[in-house]
Amino acid sequence: SNAIIDTERMQIPPFTRAKLIDATITMASGLSCFQILFGNNPNTNDVTTNTNPIAIPPSTCIYHEPPPGVIPKDYYSDNPSVFGKILNGDVPSRPYRETSELYSFRDKSPHAKLHALIIPKRYVQNVYSLTPKDVTLIRDMRQLGLELLGEQQPLALKDEDYILCFHIPPFNSVDHLHLHVLAPASEMGVLYRYGKYNAGTRSCIGDLEVIERLEGGMAAVPYARPF
């Protein structure tokens, strides 16, 4: 292994040499286990995939125009979340795409090579706030997510090697509805792929399930509000 120290050239006594080699192998094994659990760090300036390099969007801090048909002035003042501050231009973000109704940007703590968040500009607190009238909104969020995958991770899109999901309170981190877009899922750490972002658990639900439930006139999630 390239990680093992060349102890003979360093003229280290045999007993000490053996201990150093054992320690190096143990450390290398530990790093491998860490990478399996948590994955590689995707938060670098340039992440190379099998298909194309992905340049992380530059950080910007700008005001985002509200949805059509509303009075722009102070539109985001009723949104107390950090995403409201991002939309108002008070907090920076790394943008991917923007439409008249939606804004997508890179997660500040990414857990995949592509880890985008898609939020509605309209303040929707979380999945419990959704009603059947919001099914078009969720469909649009999904469509934007698929378009991002096509641009940023086309192979993952082709192989369906991605995750589109919402967290369910109290397991959400920000009280503003946001869709997670993660790819390639196969390269994510085990704790994230099968834990935090595992749709179908009490903490997380897939976008298609939300759409199906809303189309059926049901609540967006099959669980009662925790409080």
Side-chain angles (χ1 to χ4, degrees), residues 56-114:
I56 293 177
S59 179
T60 63
C61 192
I62 60 172
Y63 179 80
H64 300 271
E65 290 297 324
V70 302
I71 300 174
K73 186 177 180 181
D74 298 330
Y75 178 75
Y76 301 116
S77 61
D78 292 334
N79 185 341
S81 75
V82 66
F83 293 165
K85 293 178 173 59
I86 287 175
L87 291 169
N88 201 47
D90 300 324
V91 173
S93 62
R94 297 181 180 274
Y96 282 116
R97 294 275 299 278
E98 182 171 3
T99 71
S100 60
E101 303 284 346
L102 305 173
Y103 178 52
S104 63
F105 53 98
R106 186 171 175 82
D107 193 297
K108 69 174 183 178
S109 301
H111 295 301
K113 288 180 178 177
L114 171 65

Side-chain angles (χ1 to χ4, degrees), residues 200-211:
T201 62
R202 174 61 183 83
S203 62
C204 193
I205 188 168
D207 63 316
L208 288 176
E209 184 177 355
V210 172
I211 290 172

Side-chain angles (χ1 to χ4, degrees), residues 140-213:
D140 290 344
M141 294 175 77
R142 172 179 171 78
Q143 181 58 38
L144 183 54
L146 295 175
E147 291 173 7
L148 285 177
L149 287 164
E151 294 172 0
Q152 304 290 335
Q153 287 286 334
L155 184 59
L157 176 61
K158 176 178 176 292
D159 294 340
E160 297 186 352
D161 186 17
Y162 60 84
I163 294 172
L164 299 177
C165 68
F166 298 95
H167 280 121
I168 304 171
F171 302 99
N172 59 323
S173 57
V174 178
D175 276 331
H176 182 127
L177 185 71
H178 52 287
L179 176 68
H180 288 272
V181 181
L182 302 110
S186 59
E187 297 181 20
M188 293 170 59
V190 170
L191 291 181
Y192 297 116
R193 183 179 182 185
Y194 299 107
K196 186 173 183 179
Y197 302 100
N198 187 4
T201 62
R202 174 61 183 83
S203 62
C204 193
I205 188 168
D207 63 316
L208 288 176
E209 184 177 355
V210 172
I211 290 172
E212 182 180 358
R213 292 183 62 84

Side-chain angles (χ1 to χ4, degrees), residues 28-45:
S29 299
L31 288 173
S32 297
C33 291
F34 184 89
Q35 289 173 341
I36 290 171
L37 289 174
F38 297 99
N40 294 318
N41 178 19
N43 206 11
T44 56
N45 288 331

